[in-house]
Amino acid sequence: MKPEEILRIVDAIHRDKNIDKEIVFQAIESALVTALLRHYGEEAEVVLRIDRQSGAIAGTHDGTNIDPEEITGRIGAQTAKQVIIQKIREAERDSIHDEYEEQVGQMVSGLVTRFDGGVATVSLGATEAILPRSEQIPGESFHVNERIRATIFEVRKSGSRVKIILSRIRPQLVQRLFEQEIPEIIDGVIEIRAISREPGYRSKVAVISSDNRVDCVGACVGVRGNRIKNIVEELGG
């Protein structure tokens, strides 16, 4: 594996997978060390570093320099490739996990790609999420290519993948819809104080206005009920 090839790999993964270059470099270094330990034995002390600018590899085995051309040659190109792919997948998983863990409680929009056994699989673009039956509004069903809105309820690592659980029954969905439909909430003029919800039947929202000139209930309902109508249609009650 030549230095320029390493740089091309790093650039390609950074561009295609949206993974920070430093994480990719570290993944390749870790992969090469793992593969070298398989060759020298787990008790060996192997230190390896890839120059971030040139892509050149420098390494030592029990304090003795390793010829850069022998590093991948000793462990075999196929072994190196397999370990690197594994490490990159782990880095990609961690990147996706961190991105969506920060969005727990936030509303997302996605396309239903499968609806089987009452469970909806939803594409969020770069990854997929699951909307289980237990997190669906009673009585609702979905069809493929239908766009739905839900909040991110849980994000966890599951082997080499990330499991993202969506919900349409939590109070957070009510709050996010109100924030989307009613500008006065985002502006801070109207504040949501409490939310009570029976999914699919009714929702109660307590609001307060910081400006006496603004009717908080009227602002939430909208002209001819246009604002609240959109929310009720989304929530099914």
Side-chain angles (χ1 to χ4, degrees), residues 103-149:
Q103 298 182 51
V104 170
Q106 297 299 315
M107 185 170 67
V108 293
S109 174
L111 286 177
V112 176
T113 57
R114 288 192 303 278
F115 187 63
D116 185 30
V119 178
T121 302
V122 183
S123 171
L124 299 180
T127 190
E128 287 187 332
I130 299 295
L131 178 61
R133 184 191 295 273
S134 60
E135 295 297 327
Q136 296 172 21
I137 296 172
E140 70 179 354
S141 62
F142 307 98
H143 58 264
V144 174
N145 291 328
E146 178 180 357
R147 181 165 291 279
I148 66 171
R149 290 185 287 185

Side-chain angles (χ1 to χ4, degrees), residues 2 12 20 29 38 50 57 62 68 96 111-112 122-123 126 142 151 159 163 167 175 184 200 214 229 234 237:
K2 297 180 179 180
D20 186 88
E29 288 172 341
R38 291 179 183 175
I50 299 174
I57 301 175
D62 291 337
I96 292 173
L111 286 177
V112 176
V122 183
S123 171
F142 307 98
T151 53
K163 195 167 187 178
S167 175
Q175 178 157 348
E184 290 86 349
V214 176
K229 178 183 177 182
E234 181 69 37

Side-chain angles (χ1 to χ4, degrees), residues 14-97:
H14 168 67
R15 183 176 59 254
D16 298 340
K17 302 294 186 179
N18 194 31
I19 301 176
D20 186 88
K21 286 187 178 182
E22 179 59 27
I23 294 177
V24 180
F25 274 117
Q26 291 175 6
I28 295 175
E29 288 172 341
S30 177
L32 292 174
V33 168
T34 299
L36 284 169
L37 287 174
R38 291 179 183 175
H39 174 76
Y40 290 117
E42 294 297 327
E43 300 301 320
E45 181 181 349
V46 175
V47 178
L48 186 141
R49 171 77 177 174
I50 299 174
D51 187 278
R52 285 0 183 204
Q53 300 301 318
S54 67
I57 301 175
T60 61
H61 163 230
D62 291 337
T64 303
N65 290 333
I66 306 174
D67 187 335
E69 294 184 0
E70 294 183 5
I71 289 179
T72 54
R74 282 180 178 272
I75 62 179
Q78 189 61 32
T79 300
K81 182 179 179 181
Q82 290 173 351
V83 179
I84 288 172
I85 289 174
Q86 177 186 344
K87 294 295 183 180
I88 293 302
R89 284 176 177 169
E90 291 175 0
E92 184 179 11
R93 177 201 62 187
D94 293 344
S95 176
I96 292 173
H97 175 271

